[in-house]
Amino acid sequence: MAKPLDYHTIREIFTRFQAADAEPKGELDHTNVYTLLVAVALSAQATDAGVNKATKSLFQIIETPQQMLDLGLEGLTDHIKSIGLFRQKAKNVMKMSQILVDDYEGIVPNSRAALQSLPGVGRKTANVVLNMWWHYPAQAVDTHIFRVGNRTRICPGKTVEAVERAIEDNIPVDFQQHAHHWMILHGRYHCKARKPLCRTCIIRDLCPYEDKTE
């Protein structure tokens, strides 16, 4: 396993990220914590843009778990059929909404364990909701973060769990709140999988990646 960058280099990297975008935002559209939870659950193996397109009309009529139950499985399925794995995702959202109504009075819980107990909600989804809605410095490791973390050696790891721990261990605490958003956006728009835009990268001189593009 590659050795992570030193503290001062990582601090400089995130200082630059912060200077470029002081308040990075997630790109999933939502109106409240429940619609955020639904959107994140739907985004597994799908793009944020694709989820936003599918939920645009849905979130105009749905804001609560009870409203989702009233819409019904068929109604939800019709709204999200452009998203991959839409049938299973629709079933999970309906089961999740029923549990929220029955066990949580229609309120989305704000503990990771309670969130992960909901159908279709894994650790990544729970961490996104905790970070974006409650501003808890939870680190949701997706493919972009996994790639950027290992390629830059900010937070190297062979598994998602290892990268998550490395983020918590290696990144200075004052950057923890926005760390995963900075890394996701950097991976999505600059440090791309097949052809990273190294020439215009703001951390090029700090990045140890050997196969930089010109």
Side-chain angles (χ1 to χ4, degrees):
M1 174 56 61
K3 184 179 179 180
L5 295 175
D6 65 88
Y7 171 85
H8 297 290
T9 302
I10 293 175
R11 171 165 282 283
E12 175 60 24
I13 285 173
F14 282 90
T15 297
R16 294 185 190 183
F17 284 160
Q18 185 179 58
D21 185 1
E23 295 287 334
K25 304 296 183 184
E27 297 185 324
L28 283 171
D29 294 336
H30 57 281
T31 60
N32 59 21
V33 65
Y34 172 68
T35 55
L36 173 61
L37 177 61
V38 170
V40 180
L42 293 177
S43 71
Q45 300 182 46
T47 65
D48 288 0
V51 173
N52 289 341
K53 183 177 181 180
T55 59
K56 183 176 181 180
S57 60
L58 177 66
F59 291 163
Q60 290 176 351
I61 60 172
I62 299 297
E63 290 191 338
T64 68
Q66 186 60 58
Q67 289 174 341
M68 188 69 79
L69 295 176
D70 293 340
L71 176 65
L73 178 61
E74 185 176 340
L76 173 59
T77 301
D78 189 57
H79 275 281
I80 67 169
K81 58 187 177 184
S82 62
I83 301 175
L85 306 175
F86 69 94
R87 294 189 188 281
Q88 185 58 50
K89 289 178 180 179
K91 291 177 182 178
N92 283 338
V93 168
M94 298 308 294
K95 291 177 183 177
M96 173 180 74
S97 300
Q98 189 68 62
I99 292 172
L100 289 174
V101 168
D102 292 345
D103 298 345
Y104 296 95
E105 300 181 345
I107 298 171
V108 176
N110 63 352
S111 82
R112 184 185 285 115
L115 286 168
Q116 285 188 246
S117 73
L118 299 172
V121 179
R123 186 178 180 88
K124 174 189 165 187
T125 295
N127 282 349
V128 171
V129 174
L130 290 171
N131 184 288
M132 288 184 62
W133 192 260
W134 284 290
H135 307 296
Y136 179 78
Q139 309 301 334
V141 178
D142 68 353
T143 55
H144 297 301
I145 290 182
F146 191 84
R147 179 177 66 257
V148 171
N150 280 286
R151 190 180 272 175
T152 63
R153 300 218 313 265
I154 291 171
C155 46
K158 293 183 177 181
T159 66
V160 168
E161 292 77 14
V163 171
E164 182 181 331
R165 288 195 299 271
I167 292 174
E168 295 171 347
D169 290 344
N170 300 340
I171 297 175
V173 68
D174 45 320
F175 296 119
Q176 289 273 337
Q177 174 63 52
H178 296 307
H180 93 279
H181 276 134
W182 279 318
M183 294 177 71
I184 287 172
L185 295 173
H186 189 65
R188 183 174 292 164
Y189 297 112
H190 301 285
C191 196
K192 300 179 180 182
R194 294 186 179 179
K195 194 173 182 180
L197 306 180
C198 300
R199 185 176 182 181
T200 57
C201 177
I202 63 173
I203 63 168
R204 177 189 173 97
D205 59 313
L206 303 174
C207 175
Y209 182 54
E210 294 181 356
D211 299 322
K212 290 187 174 71
T213 60
E214 295 300 329

